[in-house]
Amino acid sequence: MTDKTISNGGVRPLDDAPESTTAVATKAKTILPGSTIGMVGGGQLGRMFSVAATRMGYDVVVFCASNDEPAAQVSTRTVVGRLDDSQAVIEFARQCDVISLEFENIPAETMRLCGEHAPTYPSHHVLATAQDRLIEKQTFADAGLAVTPFARVSGRDCVQSFAAEHGWPVIVKTARSGYDGKGQHRLDDESDIDSVPWQETDHWIAEKCIEFQAEASIIVARSAHGEVRCFPPFENHHVNHILDTTVCPSFLSPELIENAVNLATKAAEVLDLVGVLCVELFVTADGTMLINEVAPRPHNSGHLTIEACHTSQFEQHVRAVCGMPLGDPSLRVAAAAMANLLGDLWPNDGPPAWDQLQRAQPTVALHLYGKRDPKVGRKMGHLTATADSVEAAREAVLSARQTQVN
């Protein structure tokens, strides 16, 4: 291996690629700037993707439910339709030279149909795995990757059997859908079992509750030609199951960073992914690293890469799906921090006082997503700061956000 930067990420050169990567490389063509990229989904991830792609000279056509969705506001053009409307999907796909997505819960059939008209990444096969927590975890476990202990459950007897083996508490989740804590239930003992709405679906997963030292994530990019690069790991802090802040560099030792890079690289190869993949990790006190979940798309924890890294996660996503050489994912600053802006901050009589925020913290970058309807818990934007230390960067974004609360 000729190029591997452990302190700021990892690189797997093409001549080190597995057979599946080589197969991808022989089939793919490079989609050059001036071409049209299709983006399925109109949320903030599609918005930031569109900004990166248009800066690089691509046209972006977004498929979403409204001309006023965040990505539609900044794209070249929009096709409005439902994800299950095959005619609208075909109309969209015929305009594209390559197609990607911003959220993994898009129906796999929609992406399969897109793939009949243009190269589509990630493929519907990747979605079919990522959309089902049971399939996802079993796929990684079968590949020898460390995941949180899990089992399919359907009610009291199953949960009691799982707890007898792994102990209480037990985390029960819907196997499909659900994010930011939705569809998740912590069971501290058997008296909590009946609080789960078992009748809503027959597809549940139980997971061992991990006593972790920290939550981390790492974003890996794998291009249509088989090149693989990892961003430096991020350290994350959640509030009410929603990501609150992210910092980089993380607390991880060089050895743990190398382990995270290897885990993410192997996960992308196992899925035969083209695009970017976020691998969410639990890190225990003894240094054990377990995969919690993955997301085959840009991720909230990677937003700080826009200001902090030589190549942002969104530009890297563009490069990966277009078969362009991947950019340098390493930090170009000493440290960075990101803080989410939720709808909770919005007053009833109008928008927050952003002028006060920028007057108080002129070095903090403000990102707003163009959402018209603030709701409690809804991600409306984020703040990013760079600094000489993680502590200074975190203090800058938290102080800036606090100006909207006072």
Side-chain angles (χ1 to χ4, degrees):
M1 188 174 292
T2 58
D3 185 5
K4 188 172 185 181
T5 307
I6 294 303
S7 61
N8 277 329
V11 178
R12 183 182 293 275
L14 187 58
D15 59 4
D16 239 9
E19 291 183 4
S20 61
T21 302
T22 305
V24 168
T26 59
K27 296 177 183 178
K29 67 176 182 177
T30 300
I31 309 296
L32 294 173
S35 303
T36 297
I37 305 174
M39 171 54 60
V40 181
Q44 66 264 22
L45 298 178
R47 180 188 182 95
M48 287 180 273
F49 175 93
S50 293
V51 169
T54 54
R55 179 181 60 78
M56 295 170 67
Y58 291 95
D59 287 337
V60 178
V61 55
V62 173
F63 184 82
C64 58
S66 164
N67 282 311
D68 196 38
E69 292 195 23
Q73 296 167 13
V74 300
S75 64
T76 309
R77 56 189 181 275
T78 304
V79 174
V80 175
R82 300 188 316 274
L83 292 171
D84 60 354
D85 184 342
S86 60
Q87 290 306 310
V89 172
I90 291 170
E91 177 192 348
F92 157 77
R94 285 175 173 169
Q95 301 181 39
C96 306
D97 296 300
V98 65
I99 298 170
S100 192
L101 55 80
E102 67 138 16
F103 194 55
E104 64 270 22
N105 284 330
I106 291 166
E109 175 60 21
T110 299
M111 301 309 289
R112 187 201 65 77
L113 185 57
C114 285
E116 293 182 357
H117 301 275
T120 299
Y121 308 117
S123 71
H124 66 284
H125 298 293
V126 173
L127 286 191
T129 299
Q131 288 174 353
D132 190 302
R133 291 183 174 92
L134 284 161
I135 296 174
E136 174 185 291
K137 277 192 159 51
Q138 192 63 58
T139 297
F140 292 141
D142 290 346
L145 300 182
V147 299
T148 53
F150 70 97
R152 180 168 185 159
V153 294
S154 57
R156 174 172 290 275
D157 291 346
C158 300
V159 173
Q160 287 178 324
S161 296
F162 184 83
E165 181 177 359
H166 298 287
W168 299 97
V170 172
I171 306 299
V172 172
K173 306 176 182 178
T174 55
R176 299 181 67 86
S177 301
Y179 62 95
D180 289 344
K182 298 178 178 66
Q184 299 187 22
H185 307 269
R186 177 189 170 104
L187 311 183
D188 289 313
D189 55 47
E190 64 179 283
S191 67
D192 291 331
I193 295 176
D194 292 335
S195 67
V196 178
W198 299 104
Q199 71 284 357
E200 291 184 0
T201 178
D202 60 356
H203 211 45
W204 296 91
I205 180 173
E207 297 178 358
K208 180 178 180 179
C209 186
I210 303 299
E211 293 186 9
F212 52 83
Q213 181 182 19
E215 293 178 275
S217 58
I218 182 167
I219 293 173
V220 56
R222 184 169 182 258
S223 82
H225 294 301
E227 185 183 8
V228 177
R229 285 180 179 256
C230 288
F231 285 86
F234 313 119
E235 186 175 343
N236 303 319
H237 176 65
H238 291 75
V239 175
N240 297 326
H241 301 289
I242 300 174
L243 182 65
D244 186 57
T245 58
T246 295
V247 298
C248 190
S250 67
F251 76 100
L252 297 179
S253 67
E255 180 182 2
L256 287 177
I257 291 174
E258 183 171 12
N259 289 345
V261 167
N262 290 335
L263 266 176
T265 300
K266 184 63 181 294
E269 292 170 351
V270 166
L271 293 175
D272 199 18
L273 176 106
V274 173
V276 296
L277 177 77
C278 179
V279 181
E280 299 179 41
L281 301 165
F282 290 144
V283 184
T284 65
D286 65 0
T288 300
M289 193 173 287
L290 302 171
I291 295 176
N292 177 30
E293 292 184 349
V294 304
R297 53 166 171 81
H299 191 262
N300 194 176
S301 64
H303 291 351
L304 58 74
T305 62
I306 297 173
E307 282 80 23
C309 295
H310 293 284
T311 306
S312 76
Q313 66 167 341
F314 299 102
E315 179 178 338
Q316 200 78 304
H317 188 186
V318 175
R319 287 171 176 251
V321 301
C322 290
M324 296 286 282
L326 296 181
D328 180 358
S330 65
L331 288 172
R332 59 184 176 89
V333 295
M338 185 279 300
N340 271 327
L341 299 173
L342 303 183
D344 313 49
L345 292 173
W346 265 243
N348 294 328
D349 57 352
W354 302 122
D355 57 332
Q356 294 180 19
L357 181 153
Q358 295 190 312
R359 187 177 298 111
Q361 293 288 343
T363 63
V364 171
L366 171 65
H367 295 260
L368 295 175
Y369 303 150
K371 296 179 180 180
R372 313 299 187 193
D373 185 18
K375 298 177 182 178
V376 173
R378 189 182 194 196
K379 295 171 184 173
M380 301 294 291
H382 70 270
L383 303 172
T384 304
T386 60
D388 293 333
S389 69
V390 163
E391 293 75 19
R394 181 192 282 115
E395 174 57 29
V397 292
L398 292 178
S399 176
R401 189 172 64 180
Q402 187 66 26
T403 65
Q404 303 308 301
V405 177
N406 296 331

